[in-house]
Amino acid sequence: MRAALVRGFDALVCARHRLPDPPASLVVPDGHLVAVTPNVAGYFTGYTVSEPTPAQARSVWRAKALVAAATGRPAPPPPPDDDMSAWQPVIDALTAKLGPDGWDLADAVSERGRRGRVWAVKIYTDFGWAGFLDGTPRQIAAELAAIRDDYAREIAAARLNCPRCDADLSPTAPTTRCDCGSVAWQPVAWNANDWVSAIADALAYIDDAPPYEVAAEHVLLTCLLEPHIQLYAGDPRLPAVTFEDIAAALQVLVPNARWATIGERLRAVLPLGALWEGGRAAQLRQAASALGYELVRSHPIHDLRTPCLLAGDDTDRGLPKWFDVTAADEGWQLRIDADAGRLRQRCVDEHPDTDDEDLGEAIDQVLDDIMLSDDDVTWAVDGYWWEGSLTVARSIDDPGDVAVLTAALREGVEAVAALHATVSTRVTAFLRDAGQTA
């Protein structure tokens, strides 16, 4: 390998071995840090030992102190505050606005710009990490005060009290237990790519809770089935499911617990005997499973980031490839695949001498006309064929009833056949009127 690719590393280890810790041969003096760089020169992991900067030492101490507090051990002594005098303007502003307690300045850097001297800081508070803040010392202090006030309002609105004795179990309460056995819960960890994973450890405190994989499906389906939960399904800039959505779904699934989001994080009070009630989500999941459908999180319509039920190997080939169910004004809407590829191929077969662009324009126009009219096609048309998202949709009374769901899906297949016939006839008329077919 080229020497330039590995220069500066104190140790290289084959990444296929996936060591959980640095190799034993790596000498790390007390108080030093080990930086890990994956994918060095192919399948290697590089390790670099360095003495921490004062800011890094303070951050490491903060992490160790949090671990010590969580495990009931005394905190290690803090590192020397050699760089604290440079932070004094920020410290003075925070103290003047917030008082001396309830916050901890973990890191701060400053530079002079067009607005004068501005700072970028990392702050921890009694309610957790406040994030990275930047601006003048007064601006930072005002922003942190606003964050603290918002947090206090969220705690008050959440009413995280024991349902039996009304003991305050909110994050800033002086105690996190009560004589009734209620648990003040927050996620131990979560995957940033799967926010529902935050509920995994909560299931241990809930009676009749299913395995996590099933519980996660119940949560996602509840987000679709309950009209008061509005997912950001069509905006790729926003997460499809947020902690607020998860909390609202869990309030349906475990109604005798109290769920809330505080500081954009999930919290709950779980009383002794809290019961998991699958509700409509469990019924839909059971009905779909009986037909061979499985829940997937990647919707066939790429613009939609909602769960979808996809046909499996055991699904009757006479049923749609996929379907989804969402809450409507009064009930639910069932949407199924309208097989855009088969529709286009039918039109190609019927008009082999027509230019692809002209044929595509004809199909577009016909579909536009159908969607904008009160055309007597069995189900309403939704989507455009070129996106691979042509669908038909209609209301359904009880998606959790396997008989009702099966009948609706078969009726939908008939609706797709009727739609294809209608589009085919109109495409032929459109091309004839345009003089593009014999």
Side-chain angles (χ1 to χ4, degrees), residues 108-200:
V109 295
S110 67
E111 62 180 20
R112 185 170 294 280
R114 288 180 300 175
R115 296 184 295 167
R117 185 163 292 282
V118 296
W119 295 75
V121 305
K122 181 168 67 174
I123 298 178
Y124 292 90
T125 72
D126 283 348
F127 53 84
W129 179 41
F132 293 101
L133 307 177
D134 59 71
T136 66
R138 288 186 178 182
Q139 289 171 337
I140 291 171
E143 187 172 354
L144 185 59
I147 292 173
R148 182 193 60 182
D149 293 344
D150 287 343
Y151 188 78
R153 283 192 290 270
E154 289 178 6
I155 289 177
R159 293 193 70 253
L160 292 178
N161 298 63
C162 172
R164 296 176 181 173
C165 69
D166 206 36
D168 185 4
L169 300 178
S170 59
T172 55
T175 180
T176 56
R177 59 170 296 172
C178 68
D179 294 335
C180 303
S182 295
V183 175
W185 174 85
Q186 62 179 331
V188 172
W190 58 84
N191 181 346
N193 297 317
D194 177 16
W195 286 18
V196 185
S197 64
I199 72 170

Side-chain angles (χ1 to χ4, degrees), residues 122-352:
K122 181 168 67 174
I123 298 178
Y124 292 90
T125 72
D126 283 348
F127 53 84
W129 179 41
F132 293 101
L133 307 177
D134 59 71
T136 66
R138 288 186 178 182
Q139 289 171 337
I140 291 171
E143 187 172 354
L144 185 59
I147 292 173
R148 182 193 60 182
D149 293 344
D150 287 343
Y151 188 78
R153 283 192 290 270
E154 289 178 6
I155 289 177
R159 293 193 70 253
L160 292 178
N161 298 63
C162 172
R164 296 176 181 173
C165 69
D166 206 36
D168 185 4
L169 300 178
S170 59
T172 55
T175 180
T176 56
R177 59 170 296 172
C178 68
D179 294 335
C180 303
S182 295
V183 175
W185 174 85
Q186 62 179 331
V188 172
W190 58 84
N191 181 346
N193 297 317
D194 177 16
W195 286 18
V196 185
S197 64
I199 72 170
D201 63 294
L203 301 178
Y205 303 100
I206 302 172
D207 291 351
D208 289 348
Y212 165 71
E213 292 76 11
V214 176
E217 292 190 5
H218 285 185
V219 169
L220 293 171
L221 288 174
T222 300
C223 289
L224 296 177
L225 294 171
E226 296 297 326
H228 67 285
I229 304 177
Q230 298 293 327
L231 300 183
Y232 299 109
D235 190 342
R237 298 169 299 176
L238 299 170
V241 178
T242 66
F243 280 137
E244 288 187 3
D245 300 327
I246 296 171
L250 289 169
Q251 198 62 68
V252 174
L253 295 167
V254 192
N256 54 342
R258 293 181 176 174
W259 304 89
T261 51
I262 298 176
E264 298 182 355
R265 290 294 179 261
L266 198 59
R267 307 271 185 166
V269 170
L270 305 176
L272 198 64
L275 186 67
W276 185 277
E277 300 178 8
R280 296 190 185 102
Q283 295 170 8
L284 175 57
R285 183 182 182 276
Q286 185 175 4
S289 297
L291 298 176
Y293 286 90
E294 297 179 353
L295 185 81
V296 295
R297 303 194 187 188
S298 298
H299 202 289
I301 300 178
H302 300 308
D303 289 342
L304 292 181
R305 295 169 304 117
T306 61
C308 172
L309 291 143
L310 192 68
D313 295 336
D314 298 331
T315 306
D316 186 338
R317 296 306 174 192
L319 295 177
K321 297 176 184 176
W322 62 263
F323 73 89
D324 63 37
V325 180
T326 54
D329 294 336
E330 296 181 1
W332 299 272
Q333 175 182 273
L334 175 66
R335 178 169 47 195
I336 73 168
D337 176 28
D339 207 340
R342 184 159 58 92
L343 172 59
R344 179 172 177 80
Q345 188 59 50
R346 174 173 176 168
C347 293
V348 169
D349 293 341
E350 292 177 350
H351 307 282

Side-chain angles (χ1 to χ4, degrees), residues 344 348 354-361 385:
R344 179 172 177 80
V348 169
T354 302
D355 180 78
D356 282 348
E357 186 174 342
D358 293 335
L359 185 60
E361 180 184 352
W385 66 268

Side-chain angles (χ1 to χ4, degrees), residues 85-106:
S85 59
W87 298 358
Q88 201 61 47
V90 179
I91 294 173
D92 292 343
L94 291 171
T95 304
K97 187 74 174 179
L98 304 169
D101 300 322
W103 55 271
D104 180 31
L105 185 60

